[in-house]
Amino acid sequence: MQPIDLNHNQPIPETELILRADGSLYHLGVLPHQVASKIIIVGDPERVPTISELFDEVECRIHNREFVVHTGSYKGKRITIVSSGIGVDNIDIVINELDAVVNVDLSTRLPKKELTSLEIVRIGTSGSIRPEIPVGSFVASIKAFALDGVPYSYQMQLNEDEAGLIQHLKTEIPYLKDNHSLYAVDGSGELLNRIAFDMVQGITATQNGFYGPQGRSVRLQSKVEPLLKSYENIVWKGNKVTNFEMECAGIYALASLLGHRALTVCAILANRATKEFHKNPSTSVETLIRTVLERF
């Protein structure tokens, strides 16, 4: 996924990049010196202090709405943890503001001439859609696809592989055939090899909802539920669709467009094929957190 360049010869207007009275970003509340180049994104705000408790030192703690930001150091590595809440709509806020705080001069509102490339790892929880991926497994997303359409809000171009995967998905799953919001995008191969070399690897389906979009029927019948087997059967260039979650594709897309590297790793808490749920999910999540911190 490649951006179509927007050249800023004038300051970015106050209505487009909103700052607080102290000069910090409107939603995240961060200033440039409070953000590291290594970023961990989690969905749950309460997971941020769970991770920062493992730090040797915490420099700052910021909390606004569902966005909690802690920056500190772990074994000599400076890391920022950010909670995004749920969904790609929130990811649009988080990635844009993280990029702005390191790549825009907030005093002049002009993009910097030398840009910073962030390393972004999402630590999440997910449900596998394949019987051979049991609860307690860790899944790393080589690629992700989604229906939210957020990247199409920006001037951008898909590469040949991304366009090919989209066409393959539309061929295999009629439900997707006429959906013009469908997009696909790669994660960072370098981060994958460094952090997730011993994890299950595959294609992640980022869904724009938890119930119907992920095939769950409670009092409403999901159209996706009968299609779970179709997702399971998809293979693209040797990679299988492994899991459902709600943020990965948005992170990959915006990170790619803005020149950052991103990886999603998830602890599998549910197996949708076998209908099994993890009996002690916190143990898997804690192990995954410690693994990422050591390898980041």
Side-chain angles (χ1 to χ4, degrees):
M1 192 171 283
Q2 296 292 327
I4 297 174
D5 289 337
L6 175 65
N7 294 318
H8 285 290
N9 296 318
Q10 300 294 325
I12 302 169
E14 294 181 2
T15 54
E16 312 307 292
L17 180 62
I18 304 171
L19 303 179
R20 299 181 183 186
D22 64 355
S24 64
L25 271 294
Y26 182 67
H27 295 93
L28 299 186
V30 292
L31 293 163
H33 70 277
Q34 296 173 321
V35 176
S37 61
K38 294 179 183 288
I39 309 287
I40 291 175
I41 294 178
V42 295
D44 185 355
E46 294 185 3
R47 193 164 289 154
V48 175
T50 299
I51 300 175
S52 68
E53 285 177 358
L54 302 173
F55 283 4
D56 303 314
E57 178 187 16
V58 178
E59 299 172 21
C60 68
R61 296 177 176 88
I62 302 165
H63 186 183
N64 179 51
R65 302 184 187 184
E66 62 264 60
F67 307 111
V68 177
V69 181
H70 288 188
T71 294
S73 59
Y74 178 84
K75 295 185 177 180
K77 295 175 285 191
R78 190 166 183 258
I79 299 172
T80 294
I81 315 162
V82 184
S83 65
S84 65
I86 298 173
V88 175
D89 50 347
N90 278 8
I91 292 302
D92 182 60
I93 293 171
V94 170
I95 299 297
N96 272 293
E97 292 198 4
L98 286 174
D99 177 78
V101 82
V102 298
N103 286 324
V104 176
D105 184 326
L106 300 183
S107 62
T108 65
R109 294 181 166 272
L110 290 168
K112 296 177 180 178
K113 293 182 179 180
E114 294 186 9
L115 299 178
T116 296
S117 179
L118 300 171
E119 292 184 344
I120 301 168
V121 177
R122 162 167 144 71
I123 300 176
T125 58
S126 182
S128 71
I129 61 172
R130 311 188 66 83
E132 70 270 23
I133 302 176
V135 297
S137 301
F138 301 148
V139 170
S141 306
I142 296 175
K143 303 173 183 289
F145 63 90
L147 298 171
D148 58 82
V150 166
Y152 291 116
S153 301
Y154 300 97
Q155 295 289 339
M156 61 88 178
Q157 295 176 331
L158 298 170
N159 64 37
E160 184 177 347
D161 185 66
E162 292 162 348
L165 175 54
I166 289 171
Q167 186 57 49
H168 182 67
L169 291 166
K170 290 185 174 184
T171 301
E172 295 295 315
I173 303 179
Y175 171 75
L176 302 177
K177 183 177 180 181
D178 297 321
N179 194 302
H180 300 294
S181 297
L182 179 64
Y183 64 95
V185 61
D186 291 335
S188 165
E190 191 278 327
L191 288 177
L192 184 79
N193 291 333
R194 189 200 322 166
I195 294 174
F197 54 85
D198 55 355
M199 299 180 189
V200 178
Q201 299 180 4
I203 302 171
T204 291
T206 295
Q207 306 294 75
N208 55 348
F210 183 79
Y211 288 96
Q214 293 190 35
R216 291 184 172 93
S217 299
V218 182
R219 291 188 61 242
L220 295 173
Q221 178 61 49
S222 169
K223 288 183 178 181
V224 178
E225 185 178 4
L227 301 175
L228 293 181
K229 195 69 178 177
S230 298
Y231 278 95
E232 184 184 331
N233 292 334
I234 292 172
V235 180
W236 175 250
K237 296 187 176 180
N239 297 309
K240 299 176 181 179
V241 177
T242 49
N243 60 313
F244 284 160
E245 56 79 81
M246 295 181 65
E247 290 83 32
C248 178
I251 293 172
Y252 283 9
L254 293 174
S256 177
L257 291 173
L258 289 165
H260 307 300
R261 290 177 288 168
L263 174 69
T264 290
V265 290
C266 287
I268 297 299
L269 302 189
N271 185 297
R272 302 298 304 284
T274 64
K275 306 298 184 186
E276 181 185 2
F277 193 81
H278 203 309
K279 298 296 189 297
N280 192 3
S282 61
T283 58
S284 288
V285 174
E286 181 179 348
T287 300
L288 182 58
I289 288 169
R290 290 181 179 274
T291 300
V292 171
L293 288 175
E294 289 294 330
R295 297 175 180 178
F296 202 2

mmCIF file of all heavy atoms in Angstrom, residues 45-72:
data_model
loop_
_atom_site.group_PDB
_atom_site.id
_atom_site.type_symbol
_atom_site.label_atom_id
_atom_site.label_comp_id
_atom_site.label_asym_id
_atom_site.label_seq_id
_atom_site.Cartn_x
_atom_site.Cartn_y
_atom_site.Cartn_z
ATOM 1 N N PRO A 45 -7.554 -0.289 27.899
ATOM 2 C CA PRO A 45 -6.784 0.700 28.667
ATOM 3 C C PRO A 45 -6.140 0.119 29.922
ATOM 4 O O PRO A 45 -5.060 0.554 30.328
ATOM 5 C CB PRO A 45 -7.832 1.762 29.031
ATOM 6 C CG PRO A 45 -8.891 1.630 27.986
ATOM 7 C CD PRO A 45 -8.942 0.170 27.643
ATOM 8 N N GLU A 46 -6.784 -0.867 30.555
ATOM 9 C CA GLU A 46 -6.235 -1.454 31.776
ATOM 10 C C GLU A 46 -5.003 -2.313 31.507
ATOM 11 O O GLU A 46 -4.269 -2.652 32.443
ATOM 12 C CB GLU A 46 -7.316 -2.276 32.483
ATOM 13 C CG GLU A 46 -8.466 -1.429 33.011
ATOM 14 C CD GLU A 46 -9.467 -2.225 33.822
ATOM 15 O OE1 GLU A 46 -9.244 -3.444 34.027
ATOM 16 O OE2 GLU A 46 -10.470 -1.644 34.266
ATOM 17 N N ARG A 47 -4.792 -2.674 30.242
ATOM 18 C CA ARG A 47 -3.606 -3.473 29.932
ATOM 19 C C ARG A 47 -2.342 -2.623 29.891
ATOM 20 O O ARG A 47 -1.234 -3.143 30.006
ATOM 21 C CB ARG A 47 -3.815 -4.204 28.598
ATOM 22 C CG ARG A 47 -2.790 -5.303 28.335
ATOM 23 C CD ARG A 47 -3.248 -6.232 27.221
ATOM 24 N NE ARG A 47 -4.353 -7.059 27.688
ATOM 25 C CZ ARG A 47 -5.279 -7.586 26.901
ATOM 26 N NH1 ARG A 47 -5.248 -7.339 25.606
ATOM 27 N NH2 ARG A 47 -6.244 -8.337 27.403
ATOM 28 N N VAL A 48 -2.486 -1.312 29.732
ATOM 29 C CA VAL A 48 -1.308 -0.435 29.676
ATOM 30 C C VAL A 48 -0.518 -0.484 30.985
ATOM 31 O O VAL A 48 0.691 -0.764 30.967
ATOM 32 C CB VAL A 48 -1.712 1.015 29.313
ATOM 33 C CG1 VAL A 48 -0.497 1.937 29.385
ATOM 34 C CG2 VAL A 48 -2.327 1.058 27.920
ATOM 35 N N PRO A 49 -1.137 -0.234 32.154
ATOM 36 C CA PRO A 49 -0.354 -0.337 33.391
ATOM 37 C C PRO A 49 0.126 -1.754 33.689
ATOM 38 O O PRO A 49 1.155 -1.932 34.348
ATOM 39 C CB PRO A 49 -1.319 0.165 34.476
ATOM 40 C CG PRO A 49 -2.678 0.034 33.882
ATOM 41 C CD PRO A 49 -2.498 0.255 32.415
ATOM 42 N N THR A 50 -0.596 -2.759 33.202
ATOM 43 C CA THR A 50 -0.136 -4.140 33.376
ATOM 44 C C THR A 50 1.218 -4.343 32.713
ATOM 45 O O THR A 50 2.097 -5.038 33.247
ATOM 46 C CB THR A 50 -1.158 -5.130 32.777
ATOM 47 O OG1 THR A 50 -2.403 -4.987 33.458
ATOM 48 C CG2 THR A 50 -0.678 -6.563 32.900
ATOM 49 N N ILE A 51 1.397 -3.718 31.545
ATOM 50 C CA ILE A 51 2.682 -3.824 30.843
ATOM 51 C C ILE A 51 3.727 -2.904 31.467
ATOM 52 O O ILE A 51 4.867 -3.307 31.708
ATOM 53 C CB ILE A 51 2.511 -3.508 29.349
ATOM 54 C CG1 ILE A 51 1.536 -4.488 28.701
ATOM 55 C CG2 ILE A 51 3.864 -3.556 28.634
ATOM 56 C CD1 ILE A 51 1.216 -4.172 27.253
ATOM 57 N N SER A 52 3.352 -1.667 31.762
ATOM 58 C CA SER A 52 4.345 -0.716 32.266
ATOM 59 C C SER A 52 4.858 -1.089 33.658
ATOM 60 O O SER A 52 5.937 -0.650 34.055
ATOM 61 C CB SER A 52 3.777 0.708 32.282
ATOM 62 O OG SER A 52 2.752 0.850 33.235
ATOM 63 N N GLU A 53 4.106 -1.919 34.389
ATOM 64 C CA GLU A 53 4.602 -2.425 35.676
ATOM 65 C C GLU A 53 5.872 -3.255 35.503
ATOM 66 O O GLU A 53 6.646 -3.420 36.449
ATOM 67 C CB GLU A 53 3.527 -3.272 36.357
ATOM 68 C CG GLU A 53 2.395 -2.465 36.982
ATOM 69 C CD GLU A 53 1.314 -3.353 37.577
ATOM 70 O OE1 GLU A 53 1.449 -4.597 37.466
ATOM 71 O OE2 GLU A 53 0.354 -2.811 38.143
ATOM 72 N N LEU A 54 6.081 -3.773 34.305
ATOM 73 C CA LEU A 54 7.274 -4.567 34.024
ATOM 74 C C LEU A 54 8.466 -3.692 33.638
ATOM 75 O O LEU A 54 9.587 -4.187 33.533
ATOM 76 C CB LEU A 54 6.985 -5.558 32.892
ATOM 77 C CG LEU A 54 5.831 -6.534 33.140
ATOM 78 C CD1 LEU A 54 5.546 -7.342 31.871
ATOM 79 C CD2 LEU A 54 6.147 -7.463 34.305
ATOM 80 N N PHE A 55 8.234 -2.401 33.416
ATOM 81 C CA PHE A 55 9.303 -1.484 33.025
ATOM 82 C C PHE A 55 10.266 -1.254 34.190
ATOM 83 O O PHE A 55 9.900 -1.344 35.368
ATOM 84 C CB PHE A 55 8.720 -0.129 32.599
ATOM 85 C CG PHE A 55 8.113 -0.116 31.214
ATOM 86 C CD1 PHE A 55 8.021 -1.263 30.452
ATOM 87 C CD2 PHE A 55 7.638 1.072 30.680
ATOM 88 C CE1 PHE A 55 7.469 -1.236 29.175
ATOM 89 C CE2 PHE A 55 7.088 1.122 29.416
ATOM 90 C CZ PHE A 55 6.998 -0.038 28.666
ATOM 91 N N ASP A 56 11.502 -0.910 33.855
ATOM 92 C CA ASP A 56 12.472 -0.500 34.861
ATOM 93 C C ASP A 56 12.159 0.909 35.362
ATOM 94 O O ASP A 56 12.440 1.250 36.511
ATOM 95 C CB ASP A 56 13.881 -0.524 34.267
ATOM 96 C CG ASP A 56 14.232 -1.902 33.716
ATOM 97 O OD1 ASP A 56 13.980 -2.903 34.408
ATOM 98 O OD2 ASP A 56 14.736 -1.973 32.572
ATOM 99 N N GLU A 57 11.585 1.722 34.465
ATOM 100 C CA GLU A 57 11.244 3.103 34.806
ATOM 101 C C GLU A 57 10.082 3.555 33.934
ATOM 102 O O GLU A 57 10.012 3.205 32.759
ATOM 103 C CB GLU A 57 12.449 4.010 34.556
ATOM 104 C CG GLU A 57 12.195 5.487 34.821
ATOM 105 C CD GLU A 57 13.366 6.363 34.407
ATOM 106 O OE1 GLU A 57 14.227 5.882 33.655
ATOM 107 O OE2 GLU A 57 13.386 7.530 34.819
ATOM 108 N N VAL A 58 9.152 4.326 34.503
ATOM 109 C CA VAL A 58 8.059 4.920 33.744
ATOM 110 C C VAL A 58 8.228 6.432 33.773
ATOM 111 O O VAL A 58 8.262 7.050 34.834
ATOM 112 C CB VAL A 58 6.682 4.531 34.320
ATOM 113 C CG1 VAL A 58 5.562 5.200 33.527
ATOM 114 C CG2 VAL A 58 6.504 3.016 34.303
ATOM 115 N N GLU A 59 8.369 7.050 32.597
ATOM 116 C CA GLU A 59 8.591 8.492 32.491
ATOM 117 C C GLU A 59 7.296 9.288 32.621
ATOM 118 O O GLU A 59 7.269 10.345 33.246
ATOM 119 C CB GLU A 59 9.197 8.830 31.130
ATOM 120 C CG GLU A 59 10.519 8.203 30.827
ATOM 121 C CD GLU A 59 10.905 8.463 29.370
ATOM 122 O OE1 GLU A 59 10.373 9.421 28.764
ATOM 123 O OE2 GLU A 59 11.732 7.705 28.837
ATOM 124 N N CYS A 60 6.250 8.810 31.962
ATOM 125 C CA CYS A 60 5.009 9.575 31.952
ATOM 126 C C CYS A 60 3.808 8.655 31.845
ATOM 127 O O CYS A 60 3.889 7.556 31.282
ATOM 128 C CB CYS A 60 4.998 10.599 30.808
ATOM 129 S SG CYS A 60 4.933 9.864 29.161
ATOM 130 N N ARG A 61 2.696 9.137 32.410
ATOM 131 C CA ARG A 61 1.420 8.434 32.344
ATOM 132 C C ARG A 61 0.354 9.450 31.947
ATOM 133 O O ARG A 61 0.181 10.461 32.634
ATOM 134 C CB ARG A 61 1.062 7.799 33.687
ATOM 135 C CG ARG A 61 2.027 6.709 34.156
ATOM 136 C CD ARG A 61 1.620 6.195 35.537
ATOM 137 N NE ARG A 61 2.452 5.091 35.984
ATOM 138 C CZ ARG A 61 3.580 5.225 36.650
ATOM 139 N NH1 ARG A 61 4.032 6.452 36.948
ATOM 140 N NH2 ARG A 61 4.285 4.162 37.033
ATOM 141 N N ILE A 62 -0.338 9.187 30.848
ATOM 142 C CA ILE A 62 -1.354 10.107 30.325
ATOM 143 C C ILE A 62 -2.631 9.320 30.090
ATOM 144 O O ILE A 62 -2.589 8.195 29.587
ATOM 145 C CB ILE A 62 -0.885 10.766 29.009
ATOM 146 C CG1 ILE A 62 0.426 11.526 29.242
ATOM 147 C CG2 ILE A 62 -1.945 11.706 28.446
ATOM 148 C CD1 ILE A 62 1.149 11.905 27.965
ATOM 149 N N HIS A 63 -3.777 9.907 30.430
ATOM 150 C CA HIS A 63 -5.060 9.201 30.274
ATOM 151 C C HIS A 63 -6.117 10.179 29.775
ATOM 152 O O HIS A 63 -6.365 11.208 30.401
ATOM 153 C CB HIS A 63 -5.486 8.602 31.622
ATOM 154 C CG HIS A 63 -6.708 7.749 31.537
ATOM 155 N ND1 HIS A 63 -7.290 7.177 32.647
ATOM 156 C CD2 HIS A 63 -7.482 7.359 30.481
ATOM 157 C CE1 HIS A 63 -8.358 6.479 32.274
ATOM 158 N NE2 HIS A 63 -8.491 6.586 30.967
ATOM 159 N N ASN A 64 -6.729 9.861 28.647
ATOM 160 C CA ASN A 64 -7.838 10.644 28.112
ATOM 161 C C ASN A 64 -8.802 9.701 27.408
ATOM 162 O O ASN A 64 -8.428 9.037 26.442
ATOM 163 C CB ASN A 64 -7.339 11.700 27.116
ATOM 164 C CG ASN A 64 -8.488 12.514 26.536
ATOM 165 O OD1 ASN A 64 -9.330 13.040 27.272
ATOM 166 N ND2 ASN A 64 -8.532 12.613 25.214
ATOM 167 N N ARG A 65 -10.047 9.641 27.888
ATOM 168 C CA ARG A 65 -11.048 8.733 27.335
ATOM 169 C C ARG A 65 -10.497 7.310 27.361
ATOM 170 O O ARG A 65 -9.985 6.847 28.369
ATOM 171 C CB ARG A 65 -11.475 9.173 25.935
ATOM 172 C CG ARG A 65 -12.040 10.588 25.872
ATOM 173 C CD ARG A 65 -12.534 10.920 24.475
ATOM 174 N NE ARG A 65 -12.913 12.323 24.378
ATOM 175 C CZ ARG A 65 -13.452 12.866 23.297
ATOM 176 N NH1 ARG A 65 -13.672 12.117 22.216
ATOM 177 N NH2 ARG A 65 -13.764 14.148 23.274
ATOM 178 N N GLU A 66 -10.595 6.592 26.201
ATOM 179 C CA GLU A 66 -10.071 5.224 26.154
ATOM 180 C C GLU A 66 -8.585 5.171 25.850
ATOM 181 O O GLU A 66 -7.994 4.091 25.795
ATOM 182 C CB GLU A 66 -10.827 4.392 25.109
ATOM 183 C CG GLU A 66 -10.700 4.897 23.686
ATOM 184 C CD GLU A 66 -11.856 5.777 23.269
ATOM 185 O OE1 GLU A 66 -12.074 6.828 23.915
ATOM 186 O OE2 GLU A 66 -12.555 5.442 22.299
ATOM 187 N N PHE A 67 -7.968 6.339 25.662
ATOM 188 C CA PHE A 67 -6.564 6.405 25.281
ATOM 189 C C PHE A 67 -5.690 6.604 26.517
ATOM 190 O O PHE A 67 -5.724 7.657 27.159
ATOM 191 C CB PHE A 67 -6.333 7.532 24.285
ATOM 192 C CG PHE A 67 -7.246 7.468 23.085
ATOM 193 C CD1 PHE A 67 -8.234 8.418 22.897
ATOM 194 C CD2 PHE A 67 -7.134 6.435 22.165
ATOM 195 C CE1 PHE A 67 -9.080 8.358 21.807
ATOM 196 C CE2 PHE A 67 -7.974 6.363 21.071
ATOM 197 C CZ PHE A 67 -8.957 7.325 20.885
ATOM 198 N N VAL A 68 -4.903 5.582 26.836
ATOM 199 C CA VAL A 68 -3.938 5.644 27.931
ATOM 200 C C VAL A 68 -2.553 5.481 27.325
ATOM 201 O O VAL A 68 -2.334 4.594 26.489
ATOM 202 C CB VAL A 68 -4.196 4.542 28.973
ATOM 203 C CG1 VAL A 68 -3.145 4.579 30.075
ATOM 204 C CG2 VAL A 68 -5.596 4.687 29.570
ATOM 205 N N VAL A 69 -1.626 6.352 27.722
ATOM 206 C CA VAL A 69 -0.268 6.325 27.185
ATOM 207 C C VAL A 69 0.716 6.279 28.347
ATOM 208 O O VAL A 69 0.679 7.142 29.232
ATOM 209 C CB VAL A 69 0.030 7.565 26.309
ATOM 210 C CG1 VAL A 69 1.453 7.490 25.757
ATOM 211 C CG2 VAL A 69 -0.979 7.693 25.173
ATOM 212 N N HIS A 70 1.573 5.272 28.358
ATOM 213 C CA HIS A 70 2.683 5.189 29.307
ATOM 214 C C HIS A 70 3.972 5.050 28.501
ATOM 215 O O HIS A 70 4.044 4.221 27.578
ATOM 216 C CB HIS A 70 2.558 3.983 30.234
ATOM 217 C CG HIS A 70 1.480 4.104 31.254
ATOM 218 N ND1 HIS A 70 1.325 3.188 32.283
ATOM 219 C CD2 HIS A 70 0.490 5.029 31.429
ATOM 220 C CE1 HIS A 70 0.282 3.541 33.025
ATOM 221 N NE2 HIS A 70 -0.235 4.648 32.530
ATOM 222 N N THR A 71 4.978 5.828 28.841
ATOM 223 C CA THR A 71 6.296 5.716 28.209
ATOM 224 C C THR A 71 7.328 5.444 29.289
ATOM 225 O O THR A 71 7.313 6.061 30.358
ATOM 226 C CB THR A 71 6.669 6.994 27.439
ATOM 227 O OG1 THR A 71 5.770 7.152 26.337
ATOM 228 C CG2 THR A 71 8.087 6.926 26.899
ATOM 229 N N GLY A 72 8.222 4.497 29.003
ATOM 230 C CA GLY A 72 9.263 4.153 29.960
ATOM 231 C C GLY A 72 10.331 3.305 29.308
ATOM 232 O O GLY A 72 10.429 3.238 28.079
#
